[in-house]
Amino acid sequence: TFHEGNARAIAAPDADALSSILDRLKPDTDVITLGRMTDNRTSARVVKNGRQDPQKGIIARTQEHFEHAPGEGWLLLDHDTKDMPADVRARIEALGGGVEAIKSIWPDLADADYLVRPSSSGGVYIEGGSPTAATGFHMFVRLADVRQSKAALEALTARAWAAGLAWHAVSKSGALLERSIIDAAVAGPERLVFTAAPLLGEGVHRRAPESIIQRGIAVSAPTMPDTDLLRLTRRENRQKLKPEAEKAEAAFTVAQVDKLTAQGVARPDAERIIRDRVKGGVLADNDTLQMADGSFARVGDILDAKFTGPGADNLSLPDPVEGVEYGRTTAAIMWGGSHKTPVLVSHAHGRLTVYHFARHMSADDVKQKQTLAE
């Protein structure tokens, strides 16, 4: 998961240069970010947050040490077809595929400098089989002001809703997750972009799909469409999926409550604990969290064992709702940073979710969270 490593600044003034850089990436050691290091650094040692020492050239992969500087830079448009509804898939096919669908909501790309790299899994096959199709891709667009990356992705997501190219997906816990033909959560200058060729085992081969390079200009960020129409479209889509979401939430709650009662927690207490976790973002001492190795641990025991004050190591673990099936290190308990008390921060589903621990909250704050959860 690239917790530590060495960072080096490399100039990529146009799509040809960027393509050449990406072609040289090694699958087991190399990954890129689209921001630059602060303080005009050209190289540094990158470590876990809390261990940095900038004066010695040791930094953390955070926005304190990585930035989008004024001027041109690369915007990532991450296109993934996972969980895409059939009607959206049909619209994309009618438009000529993913790249053409993105161009339909951002016409300025007709003159843009960009590079399209098919997903690393595209073209992989077992000996004697046929190469898999590359449905997802990374599209790198040269932006005139890379500081507008977040605004650009938000505007494109809104345009996708207006064009019928966005949707809601129902999560395991019943939450409605916003999706579109591009991922709106990849704008950060510190974010890792995994785009190297895959590591292949014995008997596994890859016929790499060709990249697409269009030589052009650095384009301005797209503008936001009518927000009133956007809110209406999103609301209608959420309403349509409400029965499915409620069913998923009920099933998830029952399963989680059963896990706690099996450990000796009274059912009314277990129901409150799960409700607080899912809707209130509060983790009680009697709640349990899945660890990166798949085992489960009581929240209170984790805090007792790991909390050693400011600067303590962060503990990586799965998302409290999705578990290891979604990823083993999509969340972390953080003891340092801007929070005065430990928090659990999750990046599952491309959004930042912060969970607070009941033992570090006042009784009034816990009660307010519980009220919101109800």
Side-chain angles (χ1 to χ4, degrees):
T1 52
F2 290 86
H3 291 303
E4 299 190 10
N6 296 308
R8 180 165 59 98
I10 304 177
D14 54 40
D16 287 298
L18 179 61
S19 181
S20 178
I21 292 168
L22 300 188
D23 285 342
R24 298 196 302 270
L25 297 179
K26 297 177 182 177
D28 53 345
T29 59
D30 295 342
V31 65
I32 67 168
T33 67
L34 297 179
R36 74 173 188 183
M37 290 174 278
T38 57
D39 300 323
N40 294 316
R41 297 180 189 275
T42 57
S43 64
R45 177 70 183 168
V46 180
V47 297
K48 287 185 178 181
N49 192 23
R51 294 182 175 181
Q52 61 264 37
D53 188 347
Q55 292 185 345
K56 294 183 179 179
I58 304 172
I59 63 175
R61 190 173 54 81
T62 65
Q63 291 190 15
E64 178 184 358
H65 301 290
F66 286 81
E67 66 180 357
H68 282 316
E72 294 183 6
W74 293 98
L75 172 70
L76 171 62
L77 303 183
D78 186 357
H79 176 73
D80 187 359
T81 59
K82 182 182 178 182
D83 299 325
M84 182 180 288
D87 59 334
V88 176
R89 195 181 300 273
R91 290 189 189 97
I92 291 174
E93 290 177 358
L95 289 166
V99 174
E100 294 304 316
I102 293 173
K103 287 182 176 181
S104 74
I105 61 172
W106 194 2
D108 290 353
L109 291 180
D111 300 317
D113 197 34
Y114 66 71
L115 165 68
V116 179
R117 298 267 297 192
S119 61
S120 297
S121 60
V124 174
Y125 64 99
I126 298 175
E127 193 165 336
S130 300
T132 57
T135 55
F137 56 80
H138 286 159
M139 185 174 189
F140 300 91
V141 179
R142 187 153 59 94
L143 206 58
D145 184 356
V146 74
R147 293 173 301 176
Q148 297 298 312
S149 292
K150 186 172 185 290
L153 293 180
E154 289 174 349
L156 287 175
T157 299
R159 291 183 179 197
W161 275 107
L165 297 171
W167 64 96
H168 282 107
V170 179
S171 78
K172 190 167 150 182
S173 66
L176 289 176
L177 308 171
E178 188 170 304
R179 295 285 182 263
S180 84
I181 57 171
I182 57 101
D183 187 345
V186 297
E190 83 290 0
R191 189 180 182 94
L192 297 179
V193 183
F194 295 89
T195 191
L199 268 177
L200 303 175
E202 185 176 353
V204 181
H205 307 279
R206 185 183 188 225
R207 190 175 300 161
E210 290 188 11
S211 297
I212 301 171
I213 297 178
Q214 176 173 292
R215 298 166 183 84
I217 62 172
V219 292
S220 299
T223 55
M224 185 72 73
D226 178 31
T227 53
D228 289 336
L229 176 61
L230 174 62
R231 280 193 292 269
L232 177 62
T233 304
R234 283 172 167 156
R235 185 166 62 245
E236 289 176 345
N237 194 266
R238 283 194 298 268
Q239 198 64 30
K240 183 173 66 174
L241 289 172
K242 186 177 179 181
E244 182 183 348
E246 290 177 344
K247 183 178 179 181
E249 181 184 341
F252 174 83
T253 300
V254 168
Q256 296 301 308
V257 168
D258 286 346
K259 284 182 181 179
L260 289 182
T261 55
Q263 298 168 21
V265 180
R267 182 162 289 272
D269 291 336
E271 290 173 348
R272 175 182 52 77
I273 287 170
I274 297 304
R275 184 176 65 250
D276 289 350
R277 185 213 300 183
V278 174
K279 291 190 174 181
V282 176
L283 299 169
D285 273 9
N286 282 340
D287 203 347
T288 59
L289 294 174
Q290 193 169 25
M291 300 292 99
D293 63 1
S295 65
F296 287 86
R298 182 176 169 273
V299 168
D301 294 338
I302 296 172
L303 295 178
D304 290 341
K306 296 291 183 181
F307 181 58
T308 57
D313 286 345
N314 299 332
L315 174 65
S316 296
L317 72 170
D319 176 76
V321 172
E322 300 298 331
V324 295
E325 293 85 358
Y326 185 83
R328 296 181 182 274
T329 57
T330 51
I333 297 176
M334 305 178 71
W335 281 272
S338 59
H339 298 280
K340 295 180 181 179
T341 59
V343 293
L344 189 151
V345 179
S346 173
H347 292 276
H349 300 297
R351 63 183 185 181
L352 177 68
T353 305
V354 179
Y355 295 83
H356 296 271
F357 295 102
R359 71 157 61 174
H360 293 291
M361 300 172 66
S362 69
D364 288 342
D365 286 340
V366 172
K367 187 174 181 180
Q368 183 181 15
K369 287 278 190 178
Q370 290 171 343
T371 301
L372 290 172
E374 293 170 357

